[in-house]
Amino acid sequence: MQKDKQVATRRLTVAVALGGLIAAVPQHAGAKISAPPPPVSILPPATSPVPMVPEVPSPVPPPPAPVLVPSPAPVAHWTSVDATALLTVIEGAGKRGLFAADYAPAGLRAAIAVGEGLALDSLASRLFIQLALDLRDGRTPAAARVQWLVKDSDATTLPIEGLLQLAVTSHNVEAVLASAEPQSPDYAALKATLAKTPATDKARVALIRANMDRWRWLPRSLGPKHLLANVPEYMLRVNIFGKTIASYRVIVGKKDTATPQLSANAVGIVVHPPWVLPRSIITQEVGPLIARSPAAARARGYTWTGSGKTLSVVQQPGPSAALGLLKIDMPNPDAIFIHDTPNRTLFANHPRAYSHGCLRTERAFELGILLGILQSGESMEDAAARDRVAEELVTLIKLGKTEKVPFKDPIPVFISYFTLATGMDGKLQTYVDVYGRDAPVFASFDQPRVEKKIPELPAFVVAPVPVL
């Protein structure tokens, strides 16, 4: 069998050298190669006399451009034992919130029966990659992940080709695939709950699957220190080494100004922050106020330049400023951040969907102190460190000026959307789907699996056949 592979490899090498690979390029996804031009006769028509004209050299046509071809998916050698182990994982994919039928178990079973060889290698590798991608990145297609803007680094930290090679060299397919799953305790709790939920309770099963998949949309590890907000729960948590050390009630965006799901790095605290208003708020609210009553707009702290479509508005810091006394500086393209609010009575309400998209947090001053300690590397038990950070913030607030306190080390922030998650009591709780984002995920479960690209594999250039 090894000799057959060597022969096949030599034949492929020869084909590439002769430019024969171009004919095979359409087999690769996304490749397009123009058909070769029809042959041109160099003889004149039999009925026409040969013209007696001076011989003029023909212009040399430019060489054709090289073709960029997606690198083919990696293929590993599979023993029958390893392929059988893969089949077992596929048949049990439902335990992981996925669907066994997506990964052709019958086809793999038939290939195993035929025996080891190129056919089994190709099929098993492809099915392993599909399953590993879904376990690592989620099955739900991007179109059904409404306003999900989180950056997932797993393709870099956990490349699929490395998982494939590890699976066939370690001969532990189950463990390698399990390593691609999220590390969160919430994911483990959902997985355990799914195992105990009757298959006849379809609504509950779908809800568990949807929220398991959402964990896969996040990075496998959120980092040893991070902030995690859950919009349907209206809560923000500070997590250190897998434990929640503090939690805060938050106000999220209204349905028509929904809070998107995103990731960013908290890089500092801004005391007495000004608010640069987004275009939507200028158009719908503040612009009409300025036109109707400039004095009332100035009384609310608004300053502006331009007019009409060029109107730019900033709310200056003050007692009634929308951002309160401080905000967490977390640069992102959507200008979503966590901040204080002068209207703190709203935290007693439930639900709390009142904002224009940002997260207003209770006890913002306390959160600022906590983050200041976290980024400094001081111990949370060090009272002197807490007092020092608190004194610095109090001093800056008393000065009444806008000041930025940069962090030495950024702290990752994730704004997520889980309708089934661990509550403050440590048990799974169901939350109202405030933005109606479960339905698209449920609908995707009833559709065929959408094939994913493998972005970590580079493209390669196929040289064109030279024109002779």
Side-chain angles (χ1 to χ4, degrees):
M1 190 58 62
Q2 184 64 30
K3 182 177 180 180
D4 292 342
K5 290 184 180 180
Q6 293 173 352
V7 172
T9 301
R10 286 197 297 271
R11 288 175 178 172
L12 179 60
T13 303
V14 173
V16 173
L18 295 178
L21 183 58
I22 290 183
V25 166
Q27 298 176 18
H28 300 294
K32 295 182 179 178
I33 301 297
S34 302
V40 179
S41 174
I42 61 173
L43 297 177
T47 56
S48 303
V50 178
M52 301 299 292
V53 295
E55 195 172 311
V56 178
S58 300
V60 178
V67 179
L68 190 65
V69 179
S71 179
V75 175
H77 173 62
W78 287 80
T79 66
S80 296
V81 173
D82 287 340
T84 301
L86 174 61
L87 177 61
T88 301
V89 177
I90 288 174
E91 291 176 333
K95 300 176 183 178
R96 290 175 158 92
L98 298 175
F99 304 92
D102 284 340
Y103 314 105
L108 180 57
R109 190 179 301 108
I112 293 171
V114 171
E116 297 179 12
L118 292 177
L120 179 60
D121 292 347
S122 178
L123 180 61
S125 296
R126 177 167 60 84
L127 297 180
F128 176 92
I129 289 171
Q130 290 175 349
L131 181 55
L133 283 172
D134 288 352
L135 288 172
R136 189 191 71 181
D137 303 333
R139 181 190 188 275
T140 308
R145 307 181 188 189
V146 182
Q147 276 195 300
W148 191 273
L149 310 174
V150 176
K151 297 177 181 177
D152 188 354
S153 58
D154 289 343
T156 300
T157 59
L158 205 67
I160 289 298
E161 188 170 11
L163 290 175
L164 174 62
Q165 294 302 324
L166 182 60
V168 297
T169 55
S170 69
H171 305 295
N172 196 340
V173 177
E174 162 73 28
V176 172
L177 286 170
S179 72
E181 295 182 86
Q183 293 180 323
S184 167
D186 258 45
Y187 179 85
L190 289 166
K191 192 174 181 180
T193 302
L194 180 62
K196 297 182 291 185
T197 303
T200 53
D201 191 350
K202 295 183 178 180
R204 181 71 171 176
V205 169
L207 184 64
I208 296 171
R209 280 176 167 158
N211 286 280
M212 288 180 71
D213 215 43
R214 285 189 175 111
W215 277 108
R216 300 183 190 113
W217 307 350
L218 290 164
R220 178 173 173 269
S221 173
L222 303 185
K225 301 177 183 180
H226 65 268
L227 274 65
L228 178 65
N230 184 19
V231 169
E233 188 187 9
Y234 307 101
M235 292 297 295
L236 169 70
R237 290 179 173 82
V238 181
N239 295 314
I240 297 181
F241 303 112
K243 294 183 179 181
T244 298
I245 62 168
S247 58
Y248 302 87
R249 289 176 292 183
V250 294
I251 293 169
V252 306
K254 297 175 289 186
K255 288 185 179 181
D256 58 347
T257 54
T259 299
Q261 280 56 72
L262 54 82
S263 55
N265 282 325
V267 297
I269 299 169
V270 181
V271 176
H272 296 296
W275 181 29
V276 180
L277 274 65
R279 173 55 49 187
S280 59
I281 299 178
I282 294 175
T283 302
Q284 298 171 14
E285 300 178 26
V286 179
L289 173 63
I290 291 172
R292 184 175 64 252
S293 178
R298 291 190 185 94
R300 297 185 187 182
Y302 295 121
T303 60
W304 59 89
T305 58
S307 61
K309 293 183 178 180
T310 64
L311 181 64
S312 177
V313 184
V314 176
Q315 187 180 42
Q316 300 301 325
S320 61
L323 302 191
L325 294 177
L326 62 82
K327 77 169 185 178
I328 308 303
D329 189 16
M330 40 183 281
N332 61 87
D334 298 276
I336 298 296
F337 41 85
I338 301 167
H339 64 85
D340 184 25
T341 175
N343 194 355
R344 298 182 178 92
T345 59
L346 294 177
F347 290 112
N349 297 349
H350 191 87
R352 294 185 293 273
Y354 306 123
S355 84
H356 291 94
C358 289
L359 297 183
R360 307 175 196 171
T361 181
E362 66 173 345
R363 310 194 321 271
F365 186 77
E366 175 191 307
L367 176 60
I369 295 174
L370 180 56
L371 296 184
I373 295 172
L374 285 181
Q375 63 83 34
S376 69
E378 301 279 1
S379 169
M380 295 300 302
E381 307 300 326
D382 189 341
R386 293 198 303 270
D387 291 344
R388 183 174 61 256
V389 174
E391 288 174 5
E392 291 175 357
L393 286 179
V394 168
T395 300
L396 291 174
I397 288 173
K398 286 182 177 179
L399 290 174
K401 299 187 298 182
T402 299
E403 294 284 353
K404 181 175 179 180
V405 183
F407 289 163
K408 180 175 65 175
D409 296 310
I411 301 174
V413 180
F414 300 91
I415 301 177
S416 61
Y417 194 95
F418 293 102
T419 51
L420 182 62
T422 301
M424 299 307 298
D425 59 359
K427 299 178 181 179
L428 284 178
Q429 303 287 339
T430 302
Y431 302 105
V432 175
D433 183 9
V434 58
Y435 300 148
R437 292 185 175 169
D438 278 346
V441 183
F442 295 161
S444 73
F445 292 161
D446 297 327
Q447 301 299 318
R449 177 185 179 275
V450 176
E451 192 62 51
K452 299 180 179 70
K453 296 180 180 179
I454 311 178
E456 57 261 35
L457 291 177
F460 63 92
V461 175
V462 176
V465 176
V467 179
L468 301 176

